[in-house]
């Protein structure tokens, strides 16, 4: 069964997708869009400013909640959720209008963007937090700045500065995962950013599970903090159940691998649950087979099982 079908039937809660987007009110999505080939998306400050103006207008016109963003020289990261069933239309409007203005300004023809935007949907608190950190660390990992606070074209100032002006970007849902006290939340967020600088984040544009692995590495360094984040009020889940925390998932996988080989209905159902959790995190079926120590055919058979 296709992961999209599993999500829409209520069995999965986070998946990575470049096509066949989910477009439901309330879902939290990490949207990425990149330039075609090695072309730049922004050539001067005015280009970045136009994208920000456009993003603010699109957020207002389409009732989008935007939590984090980063405009990189050749790609864009957005963390957001729609209040209506209009995410696809909103992103089409945003990127098509920017491309038209850019092409007209620089007298160029052809596609500015390298295909459809990509969407990773999440309902897991730890993943939600990891995405925002990953987004803000992008300029550091690209060696543009040494400190994420130095980068002008991201939402990091709203996370770090208590006197930041009111904005259409809302960092409070993420900071509240760390602490109900705003200043304490900012302090913990800075700590996580500093730790994240030393972690190999991978490239989410190339590796579907890059953020999941990044979040897992962070949680090993601060297990108590991530345990509390996991236990906070869950994100809205209009399409199905929540993902279990990454630490819990790793523990269940280890228990399955160490446990006795069995083929009871309970055992098969338990394995299928782990397969669905891994699929939701963007793992491919052959990667899941290796991780669980079973054949790829077994994975397909598990997904065909009826409840």
């Amino acid at each position: 069964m296709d992961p999209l079908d599993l999500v829409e039937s209520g069995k999965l809660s986070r998946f990575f997708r470049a096509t066949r987007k989910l477009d439901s009110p309330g879902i939290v999505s990490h949207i990425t869009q990149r330039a075609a080939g090695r072309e730049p998306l922004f050539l001067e400050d005015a280009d970045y400013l136009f994208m920000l103006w456009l993003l603010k207008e699109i957020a207002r016109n389409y009732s989008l909640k935007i939590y984090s963003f980063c405009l990189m020289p050749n790609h864009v990261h957005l963390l957001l959720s729609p209040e209506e069933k209009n995410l696809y239309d909103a992103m089409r409007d945003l990127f098509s209008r920017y491309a038209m203005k850019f092409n007209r300004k620089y007298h160029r023809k052809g596609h500015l963007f390298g295909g459809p935007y990509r969407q990773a949907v999440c309902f897991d608190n730890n993943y939600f937090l990891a995405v925002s950190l990953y987004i803000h660390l992008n300029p550091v990992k690209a060696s543009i700045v040494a400190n994420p606070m130095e980068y002008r074209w991201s939402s990091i100032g709203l996370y770090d500065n208590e006197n930041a002006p009111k904005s259409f970007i809302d960092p409070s849902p993420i900071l509240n995962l760390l602490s109900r006290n705003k200043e304490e939340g900012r302090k913990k967020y800075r700590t996580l950013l500093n730790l994240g600088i030393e972690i190999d984040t991978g490239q989410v544009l190339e590796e579907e599970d890059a953020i999941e692995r990044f979040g897992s590495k962070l949680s090993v360094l601060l297990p108590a903090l991530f345990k509390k984040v996991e236990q906070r009020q869950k994100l809205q889940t209009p399409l199905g159940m929540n993902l279990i925390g990454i630490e819990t998932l790793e523990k269940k996988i280890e228990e399955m691998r160490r446990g006795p080989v069995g083929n009871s209905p309970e055992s098969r159902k338990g394995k299928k649950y782990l397969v669905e959790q891994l699929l939701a995190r963007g793992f491919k079926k052959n990667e899941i087979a290796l991780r669980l120590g079973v054949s790829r055919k077994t994975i397909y058979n598990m997904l065909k099982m009826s409840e």
Side-chain angles (χ1 to χ4, degrees):
M1 183 180 290
D2 187 277
L4 181 63
D5 297 327
L6 292 171
V7 173
E8 291 182 336
S9 65
K11 299 175 183 176
L12 296 183
S13 301
R14 212 286 291 170
F15 78 112
F16 178 96
R17 205 70 179 172
T19 59
R20 295 183 66 195
K21 307 298 190 300
L22 285 183
D23 193 2
S24 297
I27 62 172
V28 176
S29 294
H30 175 203
I31 301 296
T32 53
Q33 180 58 286
R34 69 192 307 172
R38 297 183 179 274
E39 293 288 317
L41 291 180
F42 309 99
L43 291 176
E44 60 181 18
D45 286 0
D47 299 331
Y48 289 97
L49 291 171
F50 176 66
M51 175 62 89
L52 290 179
W53 176 85
L54 197 54
L55 184 59
K56 181 178 180 179
E57 182 176 86
I58 295 295
R60 181 182 67 247
N61 292 345
Y62 290 88
S63 300
L64 302 180
K65 295 180 179 179
I66 304 180
Y67 310 110
S68 303
F69 75 86
C70 185
L71 308 182
M72 296 290 284
N74 69 342
H75 66 276
V76 173
H77 290 271
L78 305 172
L79 183 59
L80 51 77
S81 63
E83 295 183 356
E84 304 172 14
K85 185 180 175 62
N86 59 9
L87 179 61
Y88 177 80
D89 291 336
M91 293 299 96
R92 180 181 58 185
D93 198 4
L94 173 67
F95 295 124
S96 64
R97 288 173 65 183
Y98 182 81
M100 288 176 62
K101 174 71 176 289
F102 187 91
N103 283 353
R104 186 167 57 249
K105 178 179 178 180
Y106 294 108
H107 307 286
R108 71 181 299 278
K109 296 182 179 180
H111 297 292
L112 176 62
F113 296 107
Y117 69 87
R118 295 189 175 193
Q119 175 192 39
V121 179
C122 69
F123 301 120
D124 173 75
N125 286 346
N126 285 339
Y127 185 84
F128 187 39
L129 173 61
V131 170
S132 185
L133 292 165
Y134 180 95
I135 286 174
H136 289 138
L137 284 169
N138 245 237
V140 177
K141 300 302 181 179
S143 300
I144 298 176
V145 294
N147 187 316
M149 315 304 175
E150 300 171 359
Y151 194 65
R152 182 180 177 186
W153 309 113
S154 82
S155 52
I156 188 59
L158 299 171
Y159 283 75
D160 188 56
N161 184 2
E162 64 178 324
N163 297 316
K166 186 174 178 59
S167 170
F168 67 100
I169 308 297
D170 184 9
S172 59
I174 292 172
L175 294 177
N176 286 342
L177 290 175
L178 299 172
S179 175
R180 299 306 184 193
N181 179 279
K182 291 183 177 181
E183 183 52 41
E184 182 66 19
R186 292 189 185 94
K187 181 179 178 180
K188 289 181 178 179
Y189 197 82
R190 286 193 292 269
T191 297
L192 290 170
L193 282 174
N194 290 331
L195 289 173
I197 290 175
E198 305 301 323
I199 295 175
D200 180 12
T201 57
Q203 292 290 332
V204 74
L205 294 175
E206 310 295 340
E207 307 164 75
E208 296 177 5
D209 63 335
I211 293 176
E212 192 73 43
R213 289 186 284 107
F214 168 62
S216 179
K217 291 175 182 177
L218 270 179
S219 68
V220 170
L221 298 177
L222 294 172
L225 175 61
F226 276 82
K227 188 67 175 178
K228 289 181 179 179
V229 169
E230 183 182 345
Q231 293 172 346
R232 294 285 191 189
Q233 182 178 354
K234 302 298 183 182
L235 293 171
Q236 183 181 357
T237 57
L239 299 176
M241 67 179 186
N242 290 317
L243 287 177
I244 59 176
I246 187 64
E247 292 183 7
T248 303
L249 176 59
E250 295 287 355
K251 182 178 180 181
K252 288 183 177 294
I253 291 174
E254 185 64 22
E255 290 174 350
M256 188 217 78
R257 291 182 65 94
R258 289 186 176 183
V261 178
N263 198 35
S264 65
E266 292 77 15
S267 176
R268 293 197 302 271
K269 187 174 181 179
K271 291 177 181 177
K272 181 184 178 184
Y273 178 75
L274 296 180
V275 170
E276 292 173 344
Q277 289 282 326
L278 290 168
L279 274 175
R281 287 171 162 84
F283 288 93
K284 298 179 176 64
K285 294 183 178 66
N286 60 328
E287 294 172 335
I288 296 173
L290 287 173
R291 193 155 187 171
L292 298 185
V294 299
S295 69
R296 182 164 177 164
K297 182 178 180 180
T298 300
I299 299 297
Y300 278 103
N301 290 338
M302 287 180 186
L303 294 175
K304 291 178 182 178
M305 285 173 52
S306 58
E307 291 297 325

